[in-house]
């Protein structure tokens, strides 16, 4: 199940790179990609929670979950701006992406 969680987050990250490229170019990101990105992020979080609930305590898994939840909260904020047709501040996009990457790398470190 850990591998599935990592795969889901990796696919979500690809969508995130596409979305960030649009915003950094000064354009609104396409809604369908935003929605798929959000759904994949949510599915990854649910899968990760199940991994944590099933297995023995692992501090790296818990840290990854915490970082990814913070990234998701940033994503909600970015989506709220998108819903208002407002372009997200680039700094917020970088923070969201940075926290998500840190969470993903922390999750990936469990396999290594």
């Amino acid at each position: 199940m850990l591998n599935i969680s990592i795969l889901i987050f990796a696919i979500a990250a690809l969508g995130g790179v596409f979305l960030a490229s649009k915003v950094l170019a000064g354009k609104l990101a396409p809604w369908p990609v935003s929605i798929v990105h959000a759904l994949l992020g949510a599915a990854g979080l649910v899968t990760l929670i199940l991994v944590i609930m099933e297995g023995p305590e692992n501090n790296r898994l818990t840290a990854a979950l915490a970082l990814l939840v913070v990234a998701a909260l940033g994503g909600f904020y970015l989506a709220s701006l998108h819903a208002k047709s407002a372009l997200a501040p680039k700094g917020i996009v970088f923070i969201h992406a940075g926290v998500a990457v840190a969470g993903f790398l922390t999750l990936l470190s469990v396999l290594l």
Side-chain angles (χ1 to χ4, degrees), residues 9-89:
F9 281 122
I11 295 168
L14 293 175
V17 169
F18 174 78
L19 294 169
S21 71
K22 291 294 184 186
V23 172
L24 296 176
K27 301 176 183 175
L28 283 177
W31 267 112
V33 179
S34 295
I35 291 169
V36 170
H37 175 69
L39 290 173
L40 285 168
L45 286 175
V46 169
T47 307
L48 181 53
I49 289 167
L50 292 173
V51 169
I52 291 170
M53 289 173 51
E54 283 181 350
E57 184 175 332
N58 184 319
N59 291 336
R60 284 186 289 172
L61 285 176
T62 305
L65 177 62
L67 287 166
L68 292 165
V69 166
V70 170
L73 293 172
F76 287 134
Y77 174 69
L78 291 171
S80 74
L81 294 175
H82 193 180
K84 298 175 191 172
S85 296
L87 197 58

